[in-house]
Amino acid sequence: DKTALNGQLRPVERIYGFHVEAEEMVLVPQASLSAEKTGIVLEFDRSVPAGALLFHGSGYHPHVNTADETGIPLPVFGPLHV
């Protein structure tokens, strides 16, 4: 939901923290900022199976590095059906 974003997302060299779980495998996408810097584009090297679950920042010590202009980080979430 872009309405909770303060301005744009801060540029980072590489975005961390996203993964998809499906059919007993974990897929890690290449994540990048959208052209408007108000969203994140996830690119996978293979098709994501139906019923997959998307996570951001899961686990005991997640490595996440995306924040808006005021420094508020993207929240951890998941599972989210995709």
Side-chain angles (χ1 to χ4, degrees):
D1 179 9
K2 291 191 252 182
T3 60
L5 185 64
N6 296 301
Q8 296 180 328
L9 293 169
R10 289 182 177 177
V12 293
E13 201 169 307
R14 183 171 178 200
I15 296 173
Y16 294 102
F18 290 94
H19 79 275
V20 166
E21 295 179 8
E23 299 177 355
E24 298 186 24
M25 67 179 149
V26 175
L27 304 172
V28 179
Q30 178 70 32
S32 59
L33 293 179
S34 66
E36 305 81 24
K37 296 185 178 130
T38 57
I40 298 173
V41 178
L42 303 177
E43 295 181 55
F44 294 86
D45 60 359
R46 65 173 72 170
S47 295
V48 175
L53 301 173
L54 174 66
F55 296 83
H56 177 255
S58 66
Y60 290 110
H61 302 287
H63 183 93
V64 296
N65 66 335
T66 307
D68 67 19
E69 288 179 357
T70 62
I72 297 173
L74 182 67
V76 298
F77 63 82
L80 178 68
H81 291 277
V82 293

